[in-house]
Amino acid sequence: MCGIFGYWDRDHRSLSDDALRAMAHALVHRGPDDEGIHHQPARGVAIGNRRLSIIDIGHGHQPFVSDDGQIALVQNGEIFNHVELAAELRAQGVRLDTHSDTEVILRLYELEGIACLKRLNGMFAIAIHDAREDALYLARDRIGVKPLYTLDDGQRILFGSELKALWPALGGQRPAMDLEAIHHYLSFNYIPAPWTAYEGVRHVMPGTWQKFTRGQHVRTERWWILASQQEQDHTFVHWSEEFIALLDDATRIRLRADVPFGAFLSGGVDSSTIVGLMARHVKEPVKTFCIGFEDPRYDESAFAQDAADRFGCQHTREVAELNMLDRWPQVLHHLDQPHGDASFMPTLRVSELAAQHVKVVLTGDGGDELFAGYDKYAQFFAQPDAAALSQASFERSYFDSISLFSPESKAALYRPEIGRRLAGVDSFCAAAQPWLKEAAHFDRINQALYLDMQLLLSGNNLVKPDRMGMAVSIEARTPFLDWRMMEFAFRSRGHTKLSREGDKKHWFKRAAAPLIGEGLAHRKKQMFTVPVGDWFKGELHSWLRETLQGSEVMNQLFEPSGVQQMLDAHRDGQHNFTRELRALAALAIWHREAFA
C-alpha cells in the first residue's frame, strides 16, 4: 500500500525536485516507511512513490526499474496472486531479485506489455514510464479500490493517489471548483468518477488504462468490463458451494503480508463471514476491531463480540463518543472532496483503533452492492408497478429513488445565474444512464446493483476504507471485490440476492449460516452511522445554521431563502432533510478548508 505521484510533460519541461518532494510529502500518511522518485528531467517525466511496507519489507523499494533502465514502475496497492505469478515467471526463466509484488508487475510488463493487467488479482493504481515507447501509462484496478487522479493542461500531465498530491506542482494553487461536479454531488451525495470537485482534474476510471505520448491525444482503454458476464441458473447447493469456495480463496490470498493484520468486525453478515474464513487460514487468533456507542440504537458491538467469540478472535472494542462532528474537517481534508456520508467519521475512529495493533485489515466492503444488502433495493422492488415499468421508465425511476436532490429541487435551490449555467446538465444522462445501458441485458435487480457497483461503490463506499485507513497508515483489503467474486455475483440472477418477499442477500445469508450461525446470518442490518439528523434539530441546529449561512460557497450557489426553508422545516419536524443538510454542510466545510 502506498501513494504514487508524478508528471509527464509533452514539451520535455522538467518539474523541480522541490515540487516532486512536496508531492511526495503530501502523501506521507499513505506511505510513511519509504520514498522513491525516478526523475528524468531531460525527458520531462517523473514517477514517485511513498511506501507503506507490507510485502518484502526490506527489498520492496519503489520505483522498480528494468535492467536496461528503459522501464520504471510504481504502484499503490497489492497484487494478491503475486506468489503464483512469480512462480510462473521463474518457470519461464525470468530472474526475480525480490519477493515484491511490484517487481512481478514489472517483469510481466516486460513480457506482455500493458495487457499484463488482466493477469493481476489485486487492488492497484500503477504508473509506468516506458522510454522505449516514450510514453507514460496510468492504470487502475478493476473496480476502483485504489484511487488515481490526473490533471492535464494540454502540455503537462500531473497524477497522484490523492488530489492534494497535485497541488505542489501548481505552486500550491488549486483549480477552480467544478460546477458540474457539484451538480452531480447534489444528486449522489458524492462526486462520481471521472469528475472531481476541481476543474480539469479527473479520476482515472476503474478497469481502465491511459497512455500519454507527446501528442495531444490520450489513448484510453477499458481492460475489464463487469457487464461482460451472462446470468446463469443454479441450484442453491451449487451456488452456495461456489460462493464459499471463491470467497474463501479470495480471503486466503489477502492474508499475505509480512506485517501484523486483522479485520474490521461489526457483527454483520459481511464482516462476520470474512472473519470466519480468516480463522480457517491462520494459526493465531484473528485480531478484530470495532467501536461501540453508549446509545443502543447505534451500537452493534454486542454482535461483533458474538462473532469474535465464535471464531476465537483477539477482539478489541472501544466505546466511542457518538458525536464525532468535530472530526468532520479532518475527514474532509483526507477526502479532498465533499462527501455527505457521516459514516466516514466512525470509520476513521475504528481505523485509528486498529492502527495501534496492525498495518493491514480485511473488511466486508462490497458485499452489499454485490448481493443486495441495502433496504433501498427491497423498498424499490416492493413497489407494485416496479416489474411493469418499461426499461426507460425503470432506469429513470431507480435513479430518482437513489437521488439526494431531484433535478427540480436543485433547480429551485440554485441562484438564477447558477441555474442557467447548469440548465443543460442532467446527472442521470451524464453519470447513470451509460452504466444502466451497459447492464441492460441483466435482470432489473442486477441492473440496479450494477449501477451502484460503478457509482456508489467506487465513488463513495471504497473511498471510505481507503482514505480513512490511509489517514492513519493502515491498508484495507476487500475479499468480496476479488474479480472472481464480482464476476460470479453478476452471473447470479437477481432473485438469488433479493427474494420476491424482499429478503436481502437471500442466498448469501443461507450459504454463510453454517459458518457464522443463524443469528448473525439473519440479524437485521444496522447502518454504521451517527444520528446527525437528530442533532441538526436540537443541539447542533445553531452550528448548522451558522455553517451554512456563513459559507461562501452556499451564498455563491444557492438562494439563501431555499436553504433557510430547509433548516426551518427540519428543525420543526415538518420534513426530514437530514441527508440534504448533511451534504450541504460537508460542501460548506470542504470549501472553507480547500479555498481558505
Side-chain angles (χ1 to χ4, degrees), residues 482-544:
D482 187 294
W483 69 267
R484 299 167 296 173
M485 178 57 69
M486 290 189 288
E487 292 189 353
F488 167 77
F490 281 90
R491 291 195 303 271
S492 304
R493 297 197 186 277
H495 72 82
T496 70
K497 307 170 185 185
L498 181 67
S499 74
R500 292 177 178 84
E501 294 72 36
D503 183 32
K504 304 182 297 296
K505 292 182 179 168
H506 182 45
W507 282 12
F508 174 177
K509 293 185 293 188
R510 291 170 60 194
L515 174 67
I516 67 175
E518 294 288 341
L520 288 173
H522 296 286
R523 59 162 286 216
K524 181 176 173 58
K525 182 176 180 60
Q526 187 170 340
M527 298 302 288
F528 188 46
T529 189
V530 291
V532 175
D534 292 342
W535 301 335
F536 283 174
K537 289 182 181 180
E539 60 192 276
L540 291 177
H541 182 79
S542 295
W543 170 86
L544 176 64

Side-chain angles (χ1 to χ4, degrees), residues 190-204:
Y190 56 87
I191 297 174
W195 294 272
T196 78
Y198 298 94
E199 288 184 354
V201 184
R202 291 294 179 259
H203 213 162
V204 176

Side-chain angles (χ1 to χ4, degrees), residues 532-560:
V532 175
D534 292 342
W535 301 335
F536 283 174
K537 289 182 181 180
E539 60 192 276
L540 291 177
H541 182 79
S542 295
W543 170 86
L544 176 64
R545 190 176 291 271
E546 292 171 5
T547 298
L548 297 184
Q549 292 181 341
S551 165
E552 178 183 345
V553 72
M554 290 295 109
N555 292 318
Q556 173 189 345
L557 298 181
F558 307 123
E559 287 285 2

Side-chain angles (χ1 to χ4, degrees), residues 20 55 94 230 242 265 284 310 357 450:
L20 287 169
I55 293 174
V94 176
Q230 298 293 326
E242 186 172 1
L265 179 59
E284 300 295 324
R310 182 179 182 90
H357 306 272
Y450 191 79

Side-chain angles (χ1 to χ4, degrees), residues 289-554:
F289 307 93
C290 82
I291 60 170
F293 303 112
E294 293 289 353
D295 189 330
R297 295 176 298 168
Y298 302 94
D299 183 33
E300 292 185 280
S301 61
F303 297 107
Q305 189 66 59
D306 288 345
D309 292 343
R310 182 179 182 90
F311 299 114
C313 299
Q314 182 181 326
H315 188 57
T316 302
R317 170 182 177 264
E318 176 187 274
V319 177
E321 288 291 332
L322 192 57
N323 188 345
M324 301 181 179
L325 292 192
D326 61 333
R327 308 293 301 272
W328 214 346
Q330 180 187 5
V331 164
L332 290 166
H333 166 76
H334 285 288
L335 295 173
D336 288 317
Q337 301 193 88
H339 282 258
D341 186 343
S343 65
F344 279 86
M345 287 173 271
T347 301
L348 175 60
R349 185 65 205 108
V350 74
S351 298
E352 291 172 336
L353 178 65
Q356 299 172 27
H357 306 272
V358 298
K359 290 184 78 170
V360 173
V361 290
L362 272 64
T363 81
D365 290 290
D368 287 319
E369 293 82 4
L370 287 172
F371 298 104
Y374 297 127
D375 287 339
K376 65 180 182 179
Y377 303 129
Q379 292 165 359
F380 179 84
F381 287 102
Q383 298 175 100
D385 62 344
L389 293 172
S390 68
Q391 179 64 21
S393 296
F394 161 73
E395 292 177 1
R396 190 80 208 201
S397 181
Y398 181 70
F399 171 78
D400 290 343
S401 76
I402 64 172
S403 294
L404 182 60
F405 287 89
S406 68
E408 295 76 20
S409 61
K410 285 193 287 188
L413 194 60
Y414 287 141
R415 287 185 177 274
E417 60 273 23
I418 300 299
R420 286 191 291 271
R421 290 174 64 180
L422 293 169
V425 181
D426 185 334
S427 294
F428 169 73
C429 294
Q433 191 175 42
W435 296 117
L436 289 166
K437 295 298 184 189
E438 188 170 278
H441 62 289
F442 292 143
D443 63 42
R444 292 281 173 85
I445 293 171
N446 276 332
Q447 288 179 51
L449 297 178
Y450 191 79
L451 182 66
D452 282 349
M453 286 291 292
Q454 303 296 343
L455 291 181
L456 175 65
L457 189 66
S458 63
N460 189 80
N461 291 359
L462 288 176
V463 178
K464 190 186 312 176
D466 177 79
R467 304 303 195 282
M468 298 302 95
M470 287 283 86
V472 294
S473 305
I474 63 169
E475 172 180 293
R477 298 178 173 181
T478 53
F480 280 104
L481 298 177
D482 187 294
W483 69 267
R484 299 167 296 173
M485 178 57 69
M486 290 189 288
E487 292 189 353
F488 167 77
F490 281 90
R491 291 195 303 271
S492 304
R493 297 197 186 277
H495 72 82
T496 70
K497 307 170 185 185
L498 181 67
S499 74
R500 292 177 178 84
E501 294 72 36
D503 183 32
K504 304 182 297 296
K505 292 182 179 168
H506 182 45
W507 282 12
F508 174 177
K509 293 185 293 188
R510 291 170 60 194
L515 174 67
I516 67 175
E518 294 288 341
L520 288 173
H522 296 286
R523 59 162 286 216
K524 181 176 173 58
K525 182 176 180 60
Q526 187 170 340
M527 298 302 288
F528 188 46
T529 189
V530 291
V532 175
D534 292 342
W535 301 335
F536 283 174
K537 289 182 181 180
E539 60 192 276
L540 291 177
H541 182 79
S542 295
W543 170 86
L544 176 64
R545 190 176 291 271
E546 292 171 5
T547 298
L548 297 184
Q549 292 181 341
S551 165
E552 178 183 345
V553 72
M554 290 295 109

